[in-house]
Amino acid sequence: MSSGPGAASAPAPDPDYSPPALEPPKPPRPRKSSMFSSLKVRNYRLFFLGQVVSNTGTWMQRIAQDWLVLSLTGSATAVGITTALQFLPMLLFGLYGGVLVDRLPKRRTLLVTQTSMAATGIALAVLTLTGHVQVWHVYLAAFVVGLATVVDNPARQSFVSEMVGPDQLQNAVSLNSANFQSARLVGPAVAGLMITGVGTGWAFLANGLSFIAPIAGLLMMRARELYAVERAPRGKGQMREGLRYVAGRPELIWTIVLAGFVSTFGFNFPVYLSAFADDVFRAGAGSYSLFNTLMAVGSLAGALLAARRGTARMRVLIAGAVAFGTMEIVAAFAPSLWMFALLMAPIGIFGMTVNVTANSSIQMATDPAMRGRVMALYMMVFMGGAPLGAPIAGWITDAYGVRAALAVGGAITATAAVTIALALARVGNLRLSVGWNRGHPQVRFVPRRRQEELAQVARAA
């Protein structure tokens, strides 16, 4: 057998020759992800396109639902009850929903939940268009959608990893957030035009029909191309097992705690922005809409930047939370409407950085068999923070003014991020390292032994 071109003979071995010591191979540098790389996966592309349509319809129904309740009752309290009924099931049954998601095949589960939400929208449309709708119908529909969300939300979150695998998970989670923020920009505008032109019933119908897109996408997926995940067997104590699993993983428990602080004290923008528009700048509903639009644009940009980043690191999460809280403190003391409005975009960017990084880092750090329960707990904390934090923000606003409320919310968020960073450093036996890298300041946590070695090198030099 030929040994290859140019190898006619081999030299005789030298008995005194010893080969040089091999250096350990350097780990490959992580490849930078393109902004839309996960869309190359056919199954995820079908899922993403379906969610584009469905999320737009969901935002349309939210606007139409609140408007219908207000027109039926003339009561803002009734609107608040509707919102509470939609989020209440997640607070009450969220953990059990996670247990079900870990037991069931996620694609079939999503087919059931998406179909039930479609039926709810169509039922509201029929009642409204025929003139038979009553406020209790809207309350019931909101509660049913909330019940479906208990299973649908963790199933959608954890199904992403089955479509794209671990390498593209961060990118796919980021694009999901960008998808949601895009719908947040388009859906309310379309709903406003539809309500004004033809009535709320048609907005409900549009939402019900919008679920055809995700249902069709789920049916068109190729099951053989999904990443296989072992489902949890049916058994007792699985909810407690999920809680113990999270409690024993510092990178999970502290990420969820930080997300809870950010959601509870930092994300109370319905309270903050309406008060700034009305009480501080006295500019009316137009400025309130402007604030929300600029924040949505910033959130969309933050989601796309996270998709391009390609990795979810704890230091990005901590830095994002600190920056988010700091920007809220700066915005609290903005002297003019336009300065305050311009700050909404970076607040949206950093807020979405926290959201996406927390979501993807939790999924990547969790065993697939526990992912449904862990994501359910995360969504309970994240979504449940707003109903708990809004009354606190409202009380501070009434007692001390909205500038104080926003500054306090930002300060608590930033302080929580710094405290959790120090707690993680202590658990991981890390120390803060401050230095320069290629002419730029670099602040990071390094192992204590590594820090001592660097100090010894510096003294020797």
Side-chain angles (χ1 to χ4, degrees), residues 16-29:
D16 298 326
Y17 172 77
S18 60
L22 295 176
E23 294 183 1
K26 295 181 180 180
R29 179 175 291 181

Side-chain angles (χ1 to χ4, degrees), residues 87-379:
F87 286 99
L88 184 63
M90 178 61 76
L91 292 175
L92 295 178
F93 312 117
L95 285 176
Y96 187 67
V99 172
L100 289 178
V101 167
D102 282 336
R103 292 176 182 173
L104 301 173
K106 296 178 182 60
R107 186 161 69 123
R108 295 179 188 173
T109 301
L110 287 171
L111 284 169
V112 173
T113 58
Q114 298 280 293
T115 302
S116 65
M117 288 190 279
T120 303
I122 293 173
L124 264 183
V126 171
L127 288 169
T128 306
L129 292 173
T130 58
H132 293 94
V133 70
Q134 299 179 35
V135 68
W136 71 267
H137 293 143
V138 187
Y139 287 166
L140 180 61
F143 188 74
V144 170
V145 169
L147 284 175
T149 303
V150 167
V151 177
D152 183 81
N153 212 314
R156 276 190 297 110
Q157 299 287 340
S158 52
F159 187 52
V160 172
S161 64
E162 295 187 22
M163 288 183 285
V164 302
D167 292 342
Q168 295 290 344
L169 182 58
Q170 160 84 4
N171 183 264
V173 170
S174 304
L175 290 182
N176 281 351
S177 299
N179 186 330
F180 185 79
Q181 294 303 322
S182 300
R184 180 182 171 188
L185 289 171
V186 176
V190 175
L193 292 174
M194 190 169 286
I195 291 169
T196 303
V198 294
T200 55
W202 293 101
F204 292 135
L205 182 61
N207 176 56
L209 296 178
S210 73
F211 284 95
I212 294 175
I215 291 171
L218 289 166
L219 291 173
M220 292 169 63
M221 287 183 183
R222 296 170 181 162
R224 65 180 181 276
E225 295 180 6
L226 294 173
Y227 287 76
V229 173
E230 184 179 354
R231 297 201 300 270
R234 185 181 181 87
K236 294 182 179 180
Q238 290 180 324
M239 192 180 301
R240 292 192 300 273
E241 182 186 8
L243 292 174
R244 285 196 300 268
Y245 179 83
V246 172
R249 303 284 297 276
E251 71 275 19
L252 293 180
I253 187 65
W254 287 116
T255 300
I256 292 173
V257 169
L258 179 56
F261 271 100
V262 173
S263 174
T264 303
F265 298 102
F267 275 13
N268 296 303
F269 293 112
V271 176
Y272 299 145
L273 301 188
S274 59
F276 265 96
D278 191 41
D279 299 336
V280 176
F281 300 120
R282 302 191 181 282
S287 62
Y288 177 63
S289 176
L290 174 65
F291 298 157
N292 279 284
T293 299
L294 289 174
M295 184 172 293
V297 170
S299 299
L300 177 59
L304 292 175
L305 288 172
R308 185 174 181 79
R309 192 160 49 242
T311 55
R313 297 182 178 180
M314 183 60 67
R315 66 186 182 191
V316 175
L317 175 61
I318 297 294
V322 171
F324 176 73
T326 302
M327 293 303 297
E328 285 195 328
I329 296 172
V330 173
F333 299 101
S336 67
L337 183 148
W338 287 107
M339 184 176 291
F340 181 83
L342 290 175
L343 287 169
M344 292 301 101
I347 286 175
I349 290 174
F350 291 124
M352 187 52 59
T353 298
V354 174
N355 188 352
V356 170
T357 307
N359 187 315
S360 52
S361 63
I362 287 174
Q363 291 206 52
M364 287 189 286
T366 302
D367 186 274
M370 304 290 280
R371 192 167 284 148
R373 280 164 282 184
V374 174
M375 290 308 299
L377 178 61
Y378 167 72
M379 296 308 300

Side-chain angles (χ1 to χ4, degrees), residues 39-55:
L39 290 178
K40 297 176 183 177
V41 180
R42 180 182 181 275
N43 284 341
Y44 179 71
R45 189 164 61 247
L46 290 170
F47 177 84
F48 182 88
L49 293 174
Q51 291 300 308
V52 168
V53 179
S54 177
N55 284 336

